[in-house]
Amino acid sequence: MPLDNGQHILIGAYTQTLGLLQRLGLHLPDHLHAMPLDLRFADGSGLATPDWAQRWPAPLDTVAAIACARGWNWRDRAALLAAAARWRRLGFACPPGESVAGLCAGLPQRVWQDLIEPLCVAALNTPAQQASAQVFLTVLRDALLGAGHPPWRASQLLLPRTCLGDLLPLAAVRWLSQQGAELHLGQRALGLERSAHGAWRLHSASAQYEADRVILACPAHEAARLLRTLPEAPAQWVAQAAALQHTAIGTVYVAGWLRQPWPSAHPMLALRSSGSAAPAQFAFRRDWLQAQPTAALAGRADLASGHPAHSGPAANNSAASAPPPPEPGAWAELALVASACSTDKATLQAAVLDQARQALGLHGEQVRQTVIEKRATFACTPGLQRPSAAIAPGLWAAGDYLQGPYPATLEAAVRSGLEAAERCAG
Ligand SMILES: Cc1cc2nc3c(=O)[nH]c(=O)nc-3n(C[C@H](O)[C@H](O)[C@H](O)COP(=O)(O)OP(=O)(O)OC[C@H]3O[C@@H](n4cnc5c(N)ncnc54)[C@H](O)[C@@H]3O)c2cc1C
């Protein structure tokens, strides 16, 4: 099974990302496993949209989820409903310096532990005490009340069946080749300067490129490095990009037997998390996700070969996009994810395996790989100043770290890329 640098989750509200994947020729249900909003733990407690409310208009589906949250008493439910109504009345806006912990200060412990903390760290990759309340509210607004990319609702969780490298970049490379683009892959930009006649000159170890318009679609620290010696680059832009702090995400990929049946109808489950002793917040069944329908496998083969992804009749077989859950108590391939991870690899792995043994009855395990992405995302703190897309005449940046309403996500990156391309072409 191919491994990613970490398990990714998309949601139906990622309209630009999903639209882009579709324009690249992918039949999305083949590549993404859709499930309703479900943040329940192994003991069944927590928030999930009940089956009977899944087609209710937003926000009634969320109200139903809150009203039926398992393990919550009426005070927990009433407090969250009141807070949500208040946030909505205020237009999902708050002072820029407020933290998620400050925003949710009056909420009961149960709501905090079961919902706010895991949701905040999953969406912003920043602990609630340090996370921006405004960005959190924006994510809540768009996920719970916004428009989803058809056929999905904004709040639906979409889990990739393949690793992301196979999904977006390969499809993009194929599409660009079809449009006649000249691609020079696998080359690191080492320097950037102005040529004598005013064009931008970019060089790698083996080549030089000149262009009137350039988009730097690399991480913030790399863009800052490329610009630091350039007299035309605004010092403030470079300073903001270089000053961004980052938070890590750790993922333990492990296979093993489960002593008890998988306690969810979906391949994703919340884990009770607590500092470095229990750092993982979510578990994913990769064997379930990757038990792919024929159409999806055909799509991947087509991607690799450069042929159009969906030629066969199986591509429209909606039953094929929902493989049945694996046998209970079976051998499982898991991805255990620790967002805002602050430990080293060995400590993380030991603690996460312990969590999985206790919560899921994992035994006889074989660790496939443990990955810690140290600069997974920027720390999404209150009032953070992020660099703008425009750097200098004819020079733009694209990436998830630029000014925008969202935390560092695929959607933020895609929106930024589209904006930079539009400005560059305009
Ligand atoms: C473990 C993990 C889990 C995540 N989970 C989620 C999730 O569940 N949902 C979600 O929405 N987001 C998630 N994210 C965040 C998401 O992956 C990022 O927001 C997104 O990939 C950022 O895209 P980008 O284009 O801005 O940057 P990148 O994807 O980092 O792309 C930058 C590219 O620039 C290249 N590059 C760097 N330096 C140079 C150079 N000098 N010359 C040329 N090229 C260069 C790099 O090789 C890279 O390909 C996760 C991230 C990680 C690490």
Side-chain angles (χ1 to χ4, degrees):
M1 285 186 180
L3 292 182
D4 229 331
N5 64 346
Q7 175 69 45
H8 279 67
I9 311 175
L10 290 79
I11 57 173
Y14 280 14
T15 49
Q16 298 294 322
T17 308
L18 297 167
L20 176 66
L21 289 171
Q22 207 163 37
R23 284 202 300 284
L24 295 177
L26 299 184
H27 180 244
L28 299 184
D30 290 345
H31 298 273
L32 297 168
H33 175 102
M35 58 179 270
L37 180 68
D38 190 331
L39 301 174
R40 280 177 297 187
F41 298 87
D43 63 3
S45 65
L47 194 96
T49 314
D51 290 348
W52 43 265
Q54 276 169 25
R55 294 194 173 279
W56 286 15
L60 293 181
D61 52 349
T62 308
V63 172
I66 296 172
C68 298
R70 290 260 303 272
W72 294 21
N73 63 31
W74 67 267
R75 272 193 208 88
D76 301 329
R77 297 185 179 119
L80 180 58
L81 285 170
R86 191 170 61 251
W87 296 337
R88 194 179 180 195
R89 204 171 51 247
L90 296 173
F92 290 92
C94 71
E98 186 150 32
S99 70
V100 172
L103 178 80
C104 302
L107 287 175
Q109 189 66 6
R110 186 87 206 200
V111 176
W112 175 256
Q113 276 176 356
D114 280 16
L115 184 67
I116 306 295
E117 258 192 331
L119 196 61
C120 175
V121 87
L124 275 62
N125 192 30
T126 308
Q129 287 78 6
Q130 295 143 38
S132 159
Q134 183 53 70
V135 176
F136 184 66
L137 284 174
T138 304
V139 171
L140 283 186
R141 181 197 65 198
D142 292 356
L144 300 180
L145 296 177
H149 180 88
W152 296 304
R153 305 172 75 104
S155 62
Q156 270 183 287
L157 307 179
L158 305 171
L159 310 180
R161 296 184 197 282
T162 58
C163 65
L164 278 186
D166 278 2
L167 193 66
L168 208 163
L170 256 185
V173 162
R174 188 190 64 215
W175 186 89
L176 285 166
S177 305
Q178 285 165 356
Q179 311 306 310
E182 200 182 305
L183 300 169
H184 301 263
L185 301 176
Q187 296 201 46
R188 181 164 186 244
L190 295 176
L192 175 72
E193 64 216 11
R194 276 276 200 203
S195 70
H197 52 280
W200 293 106
R201 190 185 296 132
L202 202 61
H203 72 91
S204 70
S206 58
Q208 272 202 10
Y209 306 94
E210 261 193 36
D212 291 338
R213 302 169 197 201
V214 169
I215 300 175
L216 297 179
C218 57
H221 57 95
E222 270 298 287
R225 184 187 65 77
L226 287 168
L227 294 172
R228 205 162 271 137
T229 52
L230 203 72
E232 293 86 350
Q236 194 197 11
W237 197 103
V238 177
Q240 283 178 350
L244 291 174
Q245 301 291 308
H246 289 85
T247 41
I249 299 181
T251 310
V252 179
Y253 290 103
V254 59
W257 297 97
L258 301 184
R259 225 176 277 287
Q260 61 236 29
W262 180 253
S264 170
H266 305 293
M268 172 184 159
L269 195 69
L271 296 173
R272 295 243 171 248
S273 161
S274 163
S276 54
Q281 297 90 15
F282 291 100
F284 298 84
R285 283 290 297 260
R286 296 176 61 243
D287 51 326
W288 187 341
L289 285 172
Q290 297 185 355
Q292 292 179 44
T294 327
L297 290 172
R300 278 186 67 198
D302 288 341
L303 267 181
S305 68
H307 295 304
H310 303 289
S311 44
N316 288 328
N317 180 356
S318 57
S321 58
E327 288 298 308
W331 180 257
E333 291 278 348
L334 300 170
L336 304 159
V337 176
S339 293
C341 164
S342 55
T343 50
D344 62 85
K345 206 161 150 178
T347 315
L348 173 81
Q349 185 173 303
V352 167
L353 289 179
D354 220 35
Q355 267 184 287
R357 287 186 202 110
Q358 287 177 31
L360 308 171
L362 179 71
H363 64 108
E365 68 266 9
Q366 294 170 14
V367 174
R368 301 281 189 223
Q369 199 166 338
T370 297
V371 187
I372 297 185
E373 276 286 351
K374 288 217 168 90
R375 286 182 169 158
T377 69
F378 63 84
C380 191
T381 50
L384 182 67
Q385 297 297 315
R386 290 153 66 174
S388 60
I391 303 174
L395 185 64
W396 295 269
D400 63 0
Y401 66 92
L402 294 161
Q403 282 171 14
Y406 291 127
T409 51
L410 295 168
E411 182 70 1
V414 168
R415 283 180 182 226
S416 161
L418 294 174
E419 185 195 333
E422 215 168 272
R423 290 194 191 197
C424 181

